[in-house]
Amino acid sequence: MVEELRNIHREVLPNGLTVITEQMEHIRSISIGIWVKAGSRDEDPQWNGISHFIEHMVFKGTKNRSAEQIARQVDSIGGNMDAFTAKECICFNVKVLDEHLPVALDVLSDLVLNPVFDVQDIGRERGVILEEIKMEEDNPDYLVHEIFTQNFWKDHPLGKPILGTRDTVRKFEQPVVLGSYSQSFAPGNLIVSAAGHLDHAKFVELAAKHFSHMKPFKNGFHSQPPKVVPRIIMRNKQSLEQVQICIGVPSHPIAHEKRYASYVLNTLLGGGMSSRLFQNIRERQGLAYAIYSDLNPYRDTGCLCVYAGTSRESAERVVRSVVSEFRNLKTEPVPEEELRRAKDQLKGSLMLSLESSTARMSNLARQEMYFDRFYGLDELIEKIGSITTEDLQQMANDYFRSDSVAVTVLGNLNGLKISREQLAC
């Protein structure tokens, strides 16, 4: 099975593993990613954090290489190797000069296919991740988002932290790690994507050499869609100088046909220095240094979230101002000039974001995960261009409903209260 779009080629190996490449003639680098189509939301709650733990553990040594040999071999070819875990995927990636492709794929596939998960290493790594959790909890921006997410999708794996918790991480032992690894790392659950100065047929041959021995099996992932719980959470933390605020509403899933309108709406609301939130709350009122909105879409749900850091005295005014921006978007059509600016900003950042081989490689894998076909840049730009003022007003009315606004406030609250009435939009 081979599909082609300009210089994008896709092939599925007999065991179900997908290989997808994009040829970029004008550069010398190649980025390769091995993507697992399961992340922290696919974990059993008692083993929350295990995906991220496995992502760390594969670097500790394989049947063929020690941790030091892995690092040395990548450094000796001037490569950049990295990995991350998200709610719905794990990615292992490397970027090298085109001539080093065979070595790079050899090391990367070795990590993913042959980790040893040594008992001593597991013990040490638990300590490392417990430190990582502490470090993140010391970061108020991270912490307020984490508290917000855990309450927004309460009691659902999507709401649980990617890193896990101190309690879950302390319980990770070799059998759990092995069990979780063998369930996630099935060929039908893997995508090998690459972009850069490469030849598709040769790349597929190389990938098949490493991966074709894997036996296909079904792993039955895909947790139920979460229900949103729009609560008001006030969390006191006296050591903080600022009050951290997250205000969010449910938004469309990642592949929803109205997704382009939500990109434009988010850009206009809080996606940059000319956005309404930045101009009104930071520039005109001087109430916050950091204020922005973020769109987090997943396969079956999503969240549009506004973040602000402000003083305790200004917190209520910030909440009121954000809610009044929601209200304005519902009641007043966006002026054509502002709509055009938001679209141009979105198109520009989209084009710039796809200039590197790493970004292209990620884009290939994400489109493969969520869409039934590949969307080229021209098509995306055309879709963004077709969004109208009416589309935005309709979407604002879908999203911004008083009873679905959730708020988390973290800081030295000193009696600060936020009521449901203050969220009426």
Side-chain angles (χ1 to χ4, degrees):
M1 173 181 173
V2 181
E3 296 168 18
E4 300 182 15
L5 177 94
R6 301 185 322 282
N7 38 5
I8 292 172
H9 304 264
R10 171 182 182 275
E11 201 157 322
V12 180
L13 302 184
N15 62 5
L17 179 124
T18 303
V19 181
I20 183 163
T21 69
E22 179 171 8
Q23 231 162 327
M24 299 170 75
E25 288 299 337
H26 55 288
I27 60 173
R28 283 292 311 275
S29 70
I30 298 179
S31 292
I32 315 163
I34 300 175
W35 297 72
V36 185
K37 296 188 283 187
S40 63
R41 72 167 295 177
D42 300 293
E43 297 166 346
D44 185 324
Q46 63 169 331
W47 306 121
N48 172 219
I50 195 78
S51 305
H52 173 256
F53 192 75
I54 289 170
E55 175 235 303
H56 273 234
M57 282 304 303
V58 303
F59 288 90
K60 296 289 167 261
T62 69
K63 295 180 180 120
N64 310 306
R65 294 172 171 89
S66 67
E68 194 176 341
Q69 285 169 325
I70 293 167
R72 273 195 188 154
Q73 203 162 2
V74 175
D75 284 349
S76 72
I77 54 175
N80 264 335
M81 192 182 248
D82 201 6
F84 67 82
T85 303
K87 302 268 186 192
E88 298 186 332
C89 66
I90 310 171
C91 170
F92 304 91
N93 57 76
V94 64
K95 182 175 186 170
V96 289
L97 287 176
D98 50 11
E99 68 208 65
H100 299 307
L101 168 64
V103 178
L105 190 58
D106 188 52
V107 177
L108 198 62
S109 57
D110 190 26
L111 287 186
V112 171
L113 296 173
N114 308 307
V116 287
F117 299 130
D118 178 79
V119 174
Q120 258 101 25
D121 289 339
I122 288 175
R124 272 194 296 270
E125 204 53 35
R126 278 200 304 261
V128 171
I129 296 197
L130 289 169
E131 289 306 317
E132 188 181 356
I133 291 172
K134 285 184 208 160
M135 180 182 83
E136 293 291 24
E137 285 176 353
D138 281 346
N139 168 1
D141 181 348
Y142 167 87
L143 192 56
V144 73
H145 278 99
E146 205 50 70
I147 298 168
F148 175 84
T149 306
Q150 286 178 36
N151 285 287
F152 194 74
W153 288 305
K154 197 166 169 49
D155 301 329
H156 188 277
L158 194 59
K160 302 266 188 280
I162 292 169
L163 299 181
T165 65
R166 290 168 205 212
D167 293 341
T168 57
V169 171
R170 282 200 189 100
K171 296 199 300 254
F172 293 164
E173 298 288 353
Q174 195 185 40
V176 178
V177 176
L178 285 167
S180 180
Y181 167 82
S182 61
Q183 195 187 8
S184 300
F185 288 63
N189 212 29
L190 294 181
I191 298 167
V192 179
S193 68
H197 198 248
L198 54 80
D199 172 270
H200 176 73
K202 287 189 183 138
F203 185 82
V204 171
E205 206 177 301
L206 209 52
K209 193 179 98 185
H210 293 293
F211 291 96
S212 57
H213 70 278
M214 293 179 82
K215 300 273 179 286
F217 71 89
K218 287 272 183 286
N219 57 20
F221 277 135
H222 293 326
S223 53
Q224 292 303 306
K227 290 189 171 51
V228 171
V229 186
R231 302 167 66 193
I232 299 173
I233 305 291
M234 309 296 287
R235 186 70 62 86
N236 214 27
K237 189 167 183 183
Q238 289 182 328
S239 59
L240 295 182
E241 292 290 330
Q242 267 196 321
V243 171
Q244 310 285 319
I245 304 171
C246 271
I247 304 175
V249 294
S251 66
H252 292 313
I254 204 160
H256 196 281
E257 69 270 8
K258 289 187 178 170
R259 61 185 176 275
Y260 303 100
S262 47
Y263 300 153
V264 177
L265 184 71
N266 177 55
T267 303
L268 199 116
L269 176 67
M273 289 169 67
S274 65
S275 68
R276 292 185 173 191
L277 290 174
F278 192 94
Q279 284 300 316
N280 179 11
I281 293 172
R282 176 171 158 156
E283 299 299 297
R284 288 192 200 105
Q285 300 187 64
L287 296 178
Y289 168 71
I291 178 146
Y292 58 84
S293 68
D294 237 349
L295 202 54
N296 294 300
Y298 297 102
R299 58 179 181 240
D300 50 12
T301 185
C303 175
L304 174 66
C305 185
V306 173
Y307 163 81
T310 187
S311 65
R312 185 201 162 303
E313 297 71 46
S314 304
E316 283 186 61
R317 266 177 74 195
V318 168
V319 171
R320 261 204 311 279
S321 300
V322 171
V323 172
S324 87
E325 294 301 340
F326 291 173
R327 199 180 304 117
N328 291 344
L329 284 164
K330 287 170 71 170
T331 53
E332 292 164 33
V334 173
E336 283 300 332
E337 166 64 18
E338 189 184 4
L339 176 60
R340 191 183 56 74
R341 276 204 317 271
K343 286 180 183 178
D344 288 347
Q345 182 191 338
L346 196 54
K347 291 176 196 170
S349 63
L350 191 63
M351 285 167 154
L352 292 174
S353 72
L354 288 175
E355 283 199 336
S356 74
S357 58
T358 306
R360 294 258 172 174
M361 176 277 290
S362 296
N363 183 40
L364 289 178
R366 289 184 194 285
Q367 295 224 27
E368 173 64 31
M369 270 189 270
Y370 293 111
F371 302 101
D372 49 3
R373 65 183 188 79
F374 193 83
Y375 290 83
L377 192 57
D378 296 341
E379 188 178 357
L380 294 178
I381 284 172
E382 191 188 322
K383 298 263 196 203
I384 290 165
S386 69
I387 298 302
T388 65
T389 304
E390 292 75 42
D391 293 337
L392 289 189
Q393 198 166 0
Q394 175 64 57
M395 179 145 285
N397 277 288
D398 288 349
Y399 280 5
F400 304 129
R401 299 201 305 270
S402 309
D403 57 355
S404 60
V405 179
V407 180
T408 296
V409 183
L410 169 75
N412 189 357
L413 302 182
N414 203 357
L416 174 69
K417 292 267 191 293
I418 302 287
S419 68
R420 185 55 66 189
E421 290 76 61
Q422 286 165 291
L423 306 178
C425 56

